[in-house]
Amino acid sequence: MRPLSYARIATVLITVLGIAGVANAQDRTGWPTSFTVGTASQGGTYFAYGSGWGGIVADELGISGGAEITGGPMQNMALVHTSELPFGMTTLGPAAESIAGNNPIAPGLAMTNACAMFPMYQTPFSITALSSSGIKSIADIPAGARIGFGPAGSTSDTYFPRMMELLGVDFERRNGSWTDLGSQLQDGLLDVIAFAAGVPVPAVSQLEVQTDVNIIEFTEDEQTRIAATFPVSNFEIAADTYTTLAAPARSVSMWNFAIANCDLLDSFVEAVVNIIMSDNERMVNVHKAARSTLPEFWDRNTVLKWHPGAAKWFTENAGANIPSEQIHGG
């Protein structure tokens, strides 16, 4: 068994035939004949978003593309760093911890061979409870509440328990896929789910259809306290994100970036970035969170070295001024 492959759960392959005309003129010497994108659990934004951009790239390049279910950002950093997967997605907080050697999958290993490829979106931290629970604020969460924090090692599981502790919440920690946790909430096996995922979170949208829920926002004081302690910024979940919301909901968020193994061919990575960055409307059709998948947000990456192929695209097409020391091999 290859290192780290024990954590791989399943693979969803998206195979597309035909070669897009724009790709025919490219020199593909050394390009792979297939690729896989590390995402996260089903029912979460990473899986929907990653499956979508993997499918778009496969369609445009005429090669087989796949989205693999993983444990999320921490595991994606490990899989991409070790070349188990060519592509993945990560939040910048877990990326920083992985680079510093604090990834729980391989403690002490500085994961510096995972490079930034393109900006994805911000991950808001949000809380959902059944309306019948009477929980309308963080202060309402009872002592000993059973809180689902998502897959073990995910961005949510890494940061949300610490945030709850900072705010004085006493809880029992539960893990699982977002789909499973949504079912457990509906069945009364959980009191709260603490989501860190691009919005709308599919599992929350599904819950809204099936039952009445409360989407709990942070108070301004809670936002301030969290932002002073963690690598997040204030964020508002738009009112039209969920049918439950009548007004924007205060939250905090962390940026996500697509990542590539730093040793991938520059021309291949540049072609992938060009496809995603050149057609935002198509990405938004994949998931609304992709409204932020825009070239001008290249500068939100303050953690990862850039893949040379990605840096070339942003320099030539988005006016990016990326110092050579922030580019892998530079």
Side-chain angles (χ1 to χ4, degrees):
M1 183 178 293
R2 295 179 297 167
L4 303 174
S5 61
Y6 67 92
R8 299 169 74 176
I9 305 169
T11 300
V12 179
L13 290 179
I14 310 162
T15 303
V16 184
L17 298 178
I19 298 177
V22 69
N24 281 337
Q26 293 170 321
D27 179 2
R28 298 186 171 206
T29 304
W31 282 26
T33 57
S34 64
F35 67 89
T36 307
V37 180
T39 60
S41 69
Q42 287 182 301
T45 304
Y46 261 32
F47 183 75
Y49 184 104
S51 299
W53 79 255
I56 289 171
V57 170
D59 182 37
E60 290 296 319
L61 296 182
I63 61 179
S64 297
E68 181 164 318
I69 299 171
T70 70
M74 286 289 194
Q75 189 185 352
N76 291 340
M77 283 293 295
L79 292 170
V80 172
H81 169 78
T82 58
S83 303
E84 287 248 346
L85 293 179
F87 298 131
M89 303 185 295
T90 190
T91 321
L92 292 183
E97 295 201 25
S98 298
I99 291 168
N102 297 323
N103 190 313
I105 294 175
L109 176 64
M111 298 180 182
T112 57
N113 209 40
C115 282
M117 189 160 59
F118 60 82
M120 291 166 43
Y121 55 82
Q122 296 178 77
T123 286
F125 289 74
S126 61
I127 301 169
T128 300
L130 296 183
S131 297
S132 58
S133 71
I135 299 173
K136 297 180 180 179
S137 68
I138 292 175
D140 290 337
I141 299 175
R146 300 158 297 177
I147 301 182
F149 290 106
S154 63
T155 301
S156 182
D157 185 52
T158 301
Y159 289 96
F160 232 143
R162 301 182 205 172
M163 293 179 182
M164 293 294 97
E165 289 169 356
L166 177 69
L167 300 178
V169 178
D170 177 66
F171 56 86
E172 291 182 15
R173 186 172 184 161
R174 304 288 176 85
N175 293 109
S177 72
W178 294 125
T179 300
D180 289 343
L181 293 177
S183 297
Q184 291 178 41
L185 182 71
Q186 192 170 0
D187 293 341
L189 301 176
L190 290 176
D191 299 294
V192 168
I193 303 181
F195 292 93
V199 293
V201 181
V204 177
S205 298
Q206 183 177 352
L207 279 169
E208 286 189 302
V209 172
Q210 298 170 337
T211 188
D212 293 328
V213 298
N214 291 336
I215 295 172
I216 300 164
E217 67 175 352
F218 293 98
T219 65
E220 291 181 5
D221 177 66
E222 288 165 347
Q223 279 183 317
T224 300
R225 291 170 64 190
I226 290 170
T229 307
F230 302 100
V232 297
S233 56
N234 288 351
F235 184 85
E236 276 196 345
I237 300 174
D240 64 358
T241 304
Y242 299 112
T243 58
T244 297
L245 290 177
R250 283 184 298 270
S251 177
V252 294
S253 69
M254 189 179 291
W255 268 92
N256 298 272
F257 267 70
I259 54 176
N261 180 270
C262 298
D263 298 327
L264 285 176
L265 252 152
D266 293 2
S267 61
F268 176 55
V269 173
E270 183 182 3
V272 172
V273 172
N274 182 61
I275 290 166
I276 301 303
M277 289 289 100
S278 298
D279 193 349
N280 183 250
E281 182 178 352
R282 192 170 180 184
M283 281 300 302
V284 172
N285 287 336
V286 166
H287 197 285
K288 289 181 181 178
R291 290 168 178 166
S292 298
T293 305
L294 297 170
E296 56 260 39
F297 293 129
W298 67 269
D299 61 354
R300 300 308 193 265
N301 170 35
T302 57
V303 172
L304 294 152
K305 289 286 187 77
W306 284 92
H307 190 287
K312 182 174 182 290
W313 190 92
F314 283 100
T315 299
E316 294 179 353
N317 298 279
N321 181 21
I322 304 174
S324 60
E325 61 269 20
Q326 293 179 14
I327 301 172
H328 181 76

